[in-house]
Amino acid sequence: MCFYHNYSVLKERALTTTSAGIQTTLSKSHVTFTLDKMHWSDDGRTTYIPFQFESTRNLSIDANDYKVTVVPAYGSMHYKPTGNMVLFGSTGRGAIIINAGKKVPNEVLSIYIENISKIKTSDMDNSSADISAVRGDKGFEEFFKKHDILKFTVSPGAKNIGKNQRISATLNDPIQLYTQLFGVYDVSSVEKKIKQDKDKIRLYTRTAEKLQRNLERSGYAITDKPKWLDDNWKPYDYVDPITGKYSNGQKVEDKINADDPDDMVYSSLPLKNNQDNVTGSERSEVEKSLSESSMGSRDQKAAEWWSALTAAWDSIREAKRDWMVDQNTELYNIKYTKLQQAKQMSVGSSSQFKVRGKVVIK
């Protein structure tokens, strides 16, 4: 009863959900393989199953060096799909494309991807794998020891796929195909981080303004403020997300090695308003006395406000730098560097896509 219940739950889950986040590993090269969410074509007759290899260092980036075998996970399947595997250069990203010839049925499939490249270990069987000949758990265990292979289970017609963006691009337009499968989500992820940075900037700006008012009402003068508080401020190593260049025209690939001209060393405590005319060594002595003498509770509170204010200023700078340097660099990489890799897309031969198991077409 328990076995049947678990079987039913797993089957129903596969019939309902998309593939995002499923992970498995090639049995010999031990490279992690992660599935992204599936998409249908505009006409609903093709399913795209995006994936990413964790690393391509020990793997071929030619899709023809992989064999895809599709097997019905539960009994039989009622269509015989054709398909291809595509790889986008050295990004490690690719997709299994399944063509049903009609609206993709909601049937659970076990999909095997075998690495048949010449990059093999001494104990790896060089012959191509024949999944249909394998029987029982022990048989599969031995089979995976001999071949560099992975397996995952999905339904290319799962109900929730309909919630995802449809794919209009074809194999003849690798840049657009890569963009629709991966690029739009990469950009969206970075834009979300930039929004978080801007939210932090607004939050810490409000916090800083409140703390500054508290200090000024207590008789302290805030005479020196960081340059990065200015709305138009850009860091010295600001990156243009379109050109991938720093403000000085240098390419982002060549890191700028320079001291930050906007670095600021804060005083221990701002001076009282009535001490603004004190200069030189006298000013230093006043600051020293404020920080080292036995201050009243009011001055002690001022010291806490000042510490919190400078921390808020630093947080504003950190958020602006993350937005204008790190995230802008990532936007450039997504739009250009990674898309250049997409131009190197390889398409596996349809002969490398096999259907095994019971197929019943009415």
Side-chain angles (χ1 to χ4, degrees):
M1 184 69 178
C2 182
F3 172 79
Y4 178 76
H5 174 73
N6 290 338
Y7 172 94
S8 299
V9 169
L10 290 172
K11 182 176 180 180
E12 182 59 29
R13 186 180 300 162
L15 290 170
T16 304
T17 61
T18 184
S19 54
I22 294 175
Q23 283 192 332
T24 185
T25 305
L26 279 166
S27 58
K28 299 293 289 185
S29 51
H30 307 295
V31 176
T32 299
F33 172 95
T34 304
L35 291 173
D36 210 330
K37 56 185 176 183
M38 294 183 284
H39 300 267
W40 285 328
S41 59
D42 281 340
D43 61 10
R45 296 184 175 191
T46 301
T47 298
Y48 297 82
I49 310 176
F51 63 80
Q52 179 158 13
F53 286 114
E54 180 184 31
S55 170
T56 58
R57 186 175 58 182
N58 295 319
L59 294 179
S60 170
I61 59 174
D62 182 351
N64 282 297
D65 283 331
Y66 299 85
K67 179 181 176 182
V68 178
T69 303
V70 175
V71 182
Y74 302 101
S76 61
M77 57 192 297
H78 297 88
Y79 68 110
K80 190 171 183 178
T82 59
N84 307 87
M85 176 172 169
V86 299
L87 285 174
F88 295 103
S90 60
T91 61
R93 287 174 161 178
I96 304 298
I97 302 175
I98 296 179
N99 305 302
K102 59 181 180 179
K103 187 179 185 304
V104 182
N106 191 1
E107 297 180 1
V108 184
L109 307 179
S110 292
I111 299 178
Y112 297 82
I113 299 177
E114 181 191 2
N115 172 18
I116 57 173
S117 71
K118 294 179 181 180
I119 307 172
K120 297 181 180 293
T121 61
S122 58
D123 61 342
M124 191 181 297
D125 191 336
N126 287 329
S127 61
S128 182
D130 183 5
I131 302 292
S132 60
V134 182
R135 295 290 183 272
D137 292 342
K138 186 66 175 177
F140 272 99
E141 183 179 333
E142 292 300 317
F143 184 82
F144 272 64
K145 286 181 180 179
K146 293 181 179 180
H147 302 274
D148 196 19
I149 197 166
L150 61 81
K151 171 194 172 185
F152 60 91
T153 302
V154 295
S155 170
K159 299 172 186 177
N160 286 354
I161 299 177
K163 298 178 181 179
N164 303 333
Q165 177 186 327
R166 297 276 179 139
I167 301 298
S168 60
T170 67
L171 292 176
N172 294 325
D173 189 354
I175 297 297
Q176 188 63 13
L177 181 60
Y178 179 89
T179 299
Q180 290 184 3
L181 289 174
F182 298 104
V184 292
Y185 301 103
D186 291 340
V187 171
S188 177
S189 176
V190 175
E191 287 176 342
K192 187 180 295 185
K193 291 177 182 177
I194 290 175
K195 182 181 181 301
Q196 291 172 349
D197 284 333
K198 290 181 177 180
D199 289 342
K200 287 179 182 178
I201 292 166
R202 283 190 289 269
L203 172 64
Y204 287 115
T205 296
R206 289 195 297 268
T207 300
E209 289 171 348
K210 180 179 178 180
L211 291 164
Q212 183 175 328
R213 285 195 299 271
N214 288 345
L215 284 163
E216 289 172 344
R217 288 168 182 165
S218 298
Y220 291 89
I222 312 298
T223 56
D224 296 320
K225 294 182 182 179
K227 293 179 181 179
W228 60 81
L229 298 182
D230 189 274
D231 288 341
N232 298 319
W233 177 83
K234 290 181 179 180
Y236 75 102
D237 52 352
Y238 168 83
V239 175
D240 186 317
I242 304 300
T243 64
K245 293 181 179 180
Y246 296 112
S247 300
N248 65 1
Q250 187 174 326
K251 290 185 178 181
V252 73
E253 291 87 353
D254 306 318
K255 295 293 184 182
I256 293 180
N257 295 316
D259 294 331
D260 190 338
D262 296 331
D263 275 342
M264 185 172 181
V265 178
Y266 302 118
S267 60
S268 57
L269 195 66
L271 293 177
K272 289 276 193 177
N273 280 322
N274 59 5
Q275 295 160 342
D276 284 347
N277 294 326
V278 179
T279 60
S281 61
E282 292 177 323
R283 183 181 180 90
S284 298
E285 286 299 316
V286 171
E287 288 187 318
K288 184 177 179 181
S289 66
L290 281 170
S291 59
E292 294 182 355
S293 64
S294 178
M295 295 186 294
S297 59
R298 186 174 181 181
D299 283 347
Q300 182 62 49
K301 191 64 178 176
E304 294 173 3
W305 286 335
W306 176 243
S307 177
L309 175 58
T310 56
W313 284 345
D314 287 342
S315 295
I316 292 170
R317 182 190 195 185
E318 181 181 334
K320 284 189 175 183
R321 284 192 54 78
D322 183 71
W323 159 25
M324 298 183 190
V325 181
D326 297 340
Q327 302 310 323
N328 278 3
T329 298
E330 187 60 21
L331 279 177
Y332 171 72
N333 287 336
I334 290 168
K335 293 177 181 178
Y336 292 91
T337 306
K338 291 183 179 179
L339 290 183
Q340 291 302 313
Q341 290 289 334
K343 289 181 180 179
Q344 301 175 25
M345 181 184 79
S346 61
V347 181
S349 169
S350 58
S351 65
Q352 299 286 75
F353 185 98
K354 302 291 184 181
V355 177
R356 295 285 185 262
K358 188 176 181 181
V359 178
V360 180
I361 300 177
K362 296 179 180 180

